[in-house]
Structures are given as C-alpha cells and as structure tokens.
C-alpha cells in the first residue's frame, strides 16, 4: 500500500519526517516504495527548518499563513490554525497533486498533534478539502494525544484535543489514535525523547505497507495482505500495535532438525509477539469494542506455518469477538517474528470520551465566567452615569 503522508504543525511534521525515513528504509533494504510523497505543512518557519528527511524545497515543506503569523506559529489557538488552513488549502492541495508519483497513491495519511494550534486546527479542514477533490481515495488521520502533564497545566489543551478529534471524526475515513503518554510509560528513559517516540509510532506501518507491495515471489506470503484488506479494515476510531520476538533462539535450540518442538515453539513465539503488540497498542482501549481487526505475521518463510496463523486468529477472535478479522503473512524478516495488529471501528474509547466530557464542562464553566464578567460590567455601567465627568 502506498501513502501520501502530510504532517501539520510541529508534531505532524516530525512524524511525517519519520515516514519519509521509513520509506528510505523500505527502499534500501527491500527495494520497495511505500510513500509516494511526504510533506510538512506549518505556520512556523523554524519548525519546518528542523526536519531532516522531507525534501527541503517549498513544495515539500509548505509554509502557510505567513501573512497572519509572520512565520511564528499560531500559539495554540486552533481556530486560527483552521482559518489559515482554509485560506491556504489550494496551495497545499496543488502542491501534493503535482508530485511526480501521485497517481500511484492508494490513500492519504494526515498527521497532527491534537493539543497544539496549527496541526490541531488544520488537520480536519485539510482532510475535508482533500476529500472533496479525491472522492475515490480514502483519507486517514493520525492524531497524537498529549502527555498527561500537558492536560494539567493548560485548559486550552483539553479544548483543542476535543475540537480536533470531533472535527476529524466528521471527515476522515479512519483516525489512528496515538497517546503520547503510552509511549512515555512504555520505557521511561525515552519519555522525554520525542524522536524515539516518533520512531515507535511509525514502526507498525513498515510491514503493513510493505507486504502488499512485494514483487519478489519468495517474499510473497500464502495469504497476502494488500491495500484492499487494509482499506476494508480502517473505519472510524482505530489503534495499532507491533510486537517482536527474536527467533535466533529457536534456531540455536533446535539446530539441524525441524522437529515438533520447534513448530510448537514457533507458535509460542508468535503468541508472544502478538501479546506484545496488544499490550503496546497506540491507545488504551477495550478490544471488545472493535468491529474490525487485522493482523500480519512477518518472519522467515520456514517459521510461518498454518498452526501459527490459526493460533493467532483464535487469540484475536477471543479478544475481539465482534470483529471481522483479516490477516496475512509476510515471509520477510530475518531472525525475528513480528506481529502487527490493527483494531478499528471502535465504538468506544474511554480517553476520547473523557476529552469530550471535560471539554463540555470547560465550555460551560467559561460561559459562566463570561456571564459573570458581563454582569459586573453592566453593574459599573449603571453606577458610572451618576459620576460627574471632567470632559
Ligand atoms: N509524539 C510527538 N508528539 C509531539 C511532537 N511534537 C509535539 N508533540 C505534541 O504535540 C502537541 C503540541 O502540538 P504541536 O505540533 O507542537 O503544535 P503546532 O501544531 O505546531 O501548533 P502551534 O505551535 O500552536 O502553532 C503536544 O501535545 C506535544 O506533546 C513530536 O515530535 N512527537
Ligand atoms: Mg508549532
């Protein structure tokens, strides 16, 4: 599957940059292309300059709203981010369309941090604009939720997240939810290292996108997972995860023979990788709430067997009994067994619901405060008329 990836704001731009690196990796180690174009769109010149892999010309690092912001961002005001995106939408759409390999694209992936201003405001507006022009290509959003400490210090954070999520949900075909806090907890030394978090966010996409693009017959699985399967799986609120177990251990244990113990051990490794993928999903959720799921096993060809695929299928069926499950195998990896999992069409995600509830309370609170302000103003206005003026 081939994507056009567009990142908005600092967070979106950096993750888009990570996708550009992912494509470079797919090219160099597999001879495949999985990204037909990687772009960063921002109101902030400095953020655009800080990227590494996205081409540094103005057709790939797109500055918007410079008249309004002077190239310095929108300072967390996501309404302003949305307004600027509406005004400069044509510039972005035209730039993407004129890309050389645009015609090969299967879908769009738009990325932003929900708590900021530029990305949070622009992502839904741009999704809507692109959707109107390309009715036949799905448009996905990948939205990054803030660390807990960001929610505690700023009311604006909750408001931005809620408005961004709602607006994206109205227009995107599916939304990958990525909770920064989950990555901070996964491995504490990386908690402050956004670059490492970004690499982890993008990791599950590698095999997922490569599997259907594979051209060499020895790397084509018994059951190919292609763009069609992925598109059929992605609807509404979505999460994804990746797990790996090293298989070098297997080889050394059973050197020379492929006896029954090795086969059992392969199944066990697969389950272990799937366990890791599920516990590391990009947002905390209840798999029971998902209506669609997908898993992909990637390992050396001789380690993929029918029992393994069946065992993993049963595991996911028990976990998400209401889901339509799609699957595939990809005989590519060396020395490892990888499992990628996607859960989609989730009808409830606690964290998202909480953001909506808190934003509603916050708006009510602000309204009260404003009314209070209005009535005191009225109060002064009433008494002021009795004071003599010097003018
Ligand atoms: N995972 C990840 N999160 C990031 C990154 N950069 C920023 N964030 C998160 O994104 C949110 C802030 O959004 P930004 O992208 O910085 O804001 P922006 O869209 O540039 O908007 P303005 O700066 O207000 O114009 C916060 O919740 C950050 O924790 C990043 O590189 N990776
Ligand atoms: Mg910024």
């Amino acid at each position: 599957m081939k994507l056009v990836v567009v990142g908005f704001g600092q967070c979106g731009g950096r993750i888009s940059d990570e996708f550009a690196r992912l494509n470079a990796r797919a090219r160099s180690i597999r001879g495949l292309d999985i990204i037909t174009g990687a772009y960063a769109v921002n109101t902030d010149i400095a953020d655009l300059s800080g990227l590494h892999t996205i081409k540094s010309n103005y057709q790939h690092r797109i500055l918007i709203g410079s008249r309004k912001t002077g190239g310095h961002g929108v300072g967390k005001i996501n309404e302003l981010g949305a307004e600027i995106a509406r005004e400069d939408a044509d510039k972005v759409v035209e730039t993407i369309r004129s890309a050389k390999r645009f015609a090969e694209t299967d879908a769009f992936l738009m990325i932003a941090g929900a708590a900021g201003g530029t990305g949070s405001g622009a992502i839904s507006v741009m999704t809507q604009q692109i959707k109107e022009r390309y009715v036949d290509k799905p448009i996905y959003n990948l939205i990054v939720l803030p660390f807990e400490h960001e929610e505690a210090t700023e009311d604006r954070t909750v408001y931005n997240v809620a408005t961004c999520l709602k607006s994206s949900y109205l227009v995107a075909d599916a939304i990958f939810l990525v909770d920064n806090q989950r990555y901070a907890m996964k491995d504490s030394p990386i908690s402050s290292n956004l670059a490492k978090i970004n690499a982890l966010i993008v990791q599950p996409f590698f095999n997922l996108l490569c599997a259907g693009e594979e051209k060499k017959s020895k790397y084509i699985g018994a059951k190919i997972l292609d763009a069609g399967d992925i598109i059929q799986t992605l609807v509404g609120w979505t999460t994804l995860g990746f797990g790996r177990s090293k298989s070098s251990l297997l080889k050394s244990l059973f050197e020379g023979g492929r006896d029954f113990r090795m086969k059992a051990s392969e199944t066990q490794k697969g389950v272990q990788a799937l366990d890791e993928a599920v516990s590391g999903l990009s947002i905390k959720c209840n798999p029971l709430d998902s209506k669609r799921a997908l898993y992909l096993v990637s390992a050396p060809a001789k380690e993929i067997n029918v029992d393994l695929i069946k065992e993993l299928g049963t595991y996911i069926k028990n976990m998400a009994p209401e889901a339509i499950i799609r699957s595939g195998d990809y005989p590519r990896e060396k020395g490892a067994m990888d499992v990628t999992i996607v859960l989609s069409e989730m009808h409830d995600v606690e964290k998202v619901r909480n953001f909506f509830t808190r934003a509603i309370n916050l708006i009510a609170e602000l309204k009260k405060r404003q009314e209070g302000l209005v009535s005191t103003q009225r109060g002064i206005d009433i008494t002021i008329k009795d004071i003599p003026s010097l003018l």
Side-chain angles (χ1 to χ4, degrees):
M1 183 176 199
K2 288 181 180 161
L3 299 177
V4 156
V5 178
V6 192
F8 298 90
Q10 179 170 54
C11 175
R14 285 190 187 155
I15 296 176
S16 179
D17 207 42
E18 197 61 50
F19 271 99
R21 266 191 288 286
L22 199 73
N23 194 46
R25 214 173 108 213
R27 261 190 201 166
S28 72
I29 67 173
R30 294 181 172 172
L32 301 175
D33 262 311
I34 51 177
I35 308 293
T36 49
Y39 303 87
V41 178
N42 210 330
T43 54
D44 190 321
I45 295 182
D47 283 354
L48 287 175
S49 311
L51 302 172
H52 301 289
T53 313
I54 291 179
K55 291 188 186 123
S56 61
N57 56 34
Y58 68 90
Q59 293 99 330
H60 288 82
R61 301 187 187 187
I62 306 167
L63 184 68
I64 54 170
S66 51
R67 260 184 307 121
K68 280 205 163 101
T69 71
H72 297 303
V74 299
K76 283 201 137 206
I77 310 298
N78 72 350
E79 294 92 332
L80 185 54
E83 191 184 314
I84 289 172
R86 238 185 310 277
E87 286 168 6
D88 283 358
D90 289 343
K91 178 171 164 183
V92 179
V93 174
E94 279 313 309
T95 313
I96 295 170
R97 201 198 358 228
S98 57
K100 260 196 306 219
R101 296 178 28 249
F102 180 73
E104 299 163 36
T105 307
D106 295 300
F108 293 92
L109 179 66
M110 315 279 213
I111 309 170
T118 301
S120 174
I123 188 168
S124 58
V125 171
M126 284 306 309
T127 299
Q128 187 176 40
Q129 298 272 344
I130 290 186
K131 209 168 171 53
E132 280 168 9
R133 291 170 170 85
Y134 302 101
V135 280
D136 58 334
K137 287 194 206 297
I139 307 186
Y140 306 122
N141 284 178
L142 188 154
I143 297 186
V144 177
L145 304 181
F147 296 102
E148 268 160 24
H149 69 84
E150 296 176 280
E151 296 169 33
T153 50
E154 268 238 42
D155 280 352
R156 189 76 210 184
T157 300
V158 172
Y159 180 85
N160 284 357
V161 173
T163 49
C164 171
L165 287 173
K166 178 189 169 157
S167 315
S168 282
Y169 187 65
L170 292 176
V171 286
D173 290 293
I175 300 171
F176 292 101
L177 294 163
V178 172
D179 183 2
N180 264 345
Q181 190 63 32
R182 296 268 287 177
Y183 295 83
M185 288 192 298
K186 256 182 202 166
D187 189 3
S188 56
I190 66 155
S191 62
S192 57
N193 191 333
L194 288 173
K196 284 195 180 152
I197 292 182
N198 294 347
L200 287 176
I201 291 171
V202 165
Q203 185 181 43
F205 286 91
F206 190 54
N207 285 331
L208 201 60
L209 298 177
C210 283
E213 295 304 317
E214 197 58 69
K215 302 288 180 295
K216 293 193 190 97
S217 60
K218 67 173 173 174
Y219 298 131
I220 292 180
K223 201 166 174 196
I224 306 164
L225 191 93
D226 61 11
D229 295 304
I230 299 173
I231 291 169
Q232 285 305 320
T233 301
L234 297 178
V235 176
W237 305 119
T238 301
T239 179
L240 77 176
F242 175 86
R244 160 171 292 181
S245 19
K246 292 253 179 291
S247 59
S248 52
L249 184 70
L250 293 178
K251 283 205 200 90
S252 55
L253 267 177
F254 303 105
E255 208 73 66
R258 294 194 44 76
D259 68 11
F260 70 97
R261 284 171 300 173
M262 183 155 176
K263 199 169 164 193
S265 171
E266 280 157 5
T267 308
Q268 202 185 344
K269 285 277 161 189
V271 170
Q272 193 183 317
L274 180 55
D275 263 335
E276 193 186 310
V278 170
S279 64
L281 283 170
S282 60
I283 189 161
K284 186 167 170 269
C285 63
N286 186 351
L288 282 173
D289 294 327
S290 63
K291 294 253 164 52
R292 296 168 198 246
L294 169 161
Y295 66 96
L296 175 70
V297 187
S298 184
K302 56 181 193 275
E303 288 176 24
I304 299 177
N305 60 64
V306 180
D307 287 351
L308 167 71
I309 304 286
K310 219 175 97 188
E311 185 80 21
L312 298 184
T314 311
Y315 180 126
I316 294 176
K317 188 78 210 162
N318 290 337
M319 185 176 77
E322 287 186 26
I324 300 168
I325 301 166
R326 293 180 171 82
S327 67
D329 61 298
Y330 185 25
R332 232 329 173 166
E333 289 305 331
K334 290 195 187 96
M337 185 174 288
D338 293 348
V339 175
T340 312
I341 178 171
V342 176
L343 297 179
S344 195
E345 206 179 1
M346 292 192 286
H347 59 79
D348 192 20
V349 179
E350 192 186 355
K351 188 139 192 172
V352 171
R353 191 161 31 83
N354 283 345
F355 271 113
F356 289 146
T357 316
R358 283 157 61 200
I360 290 165
N361 293 340
L362 188 72
I363 291 163
E365 168 92 2
L366 285 175
K367 215 170 143 196
K368 256 193 247 159
R369 269 190 239 162
Q370 248 168 13
E371 277 166 6
L373 204 65
V374 170
S375 69
T376 52
Q377 271 173 353
R378 213 178 286 136
I380 288 177
D381 282 350
I382 290 164
T383 48
I384 213 166
K385 67 178 183 336
D386 299 328
I387 307 289
S389 167
L390 302 172
L391 302 171

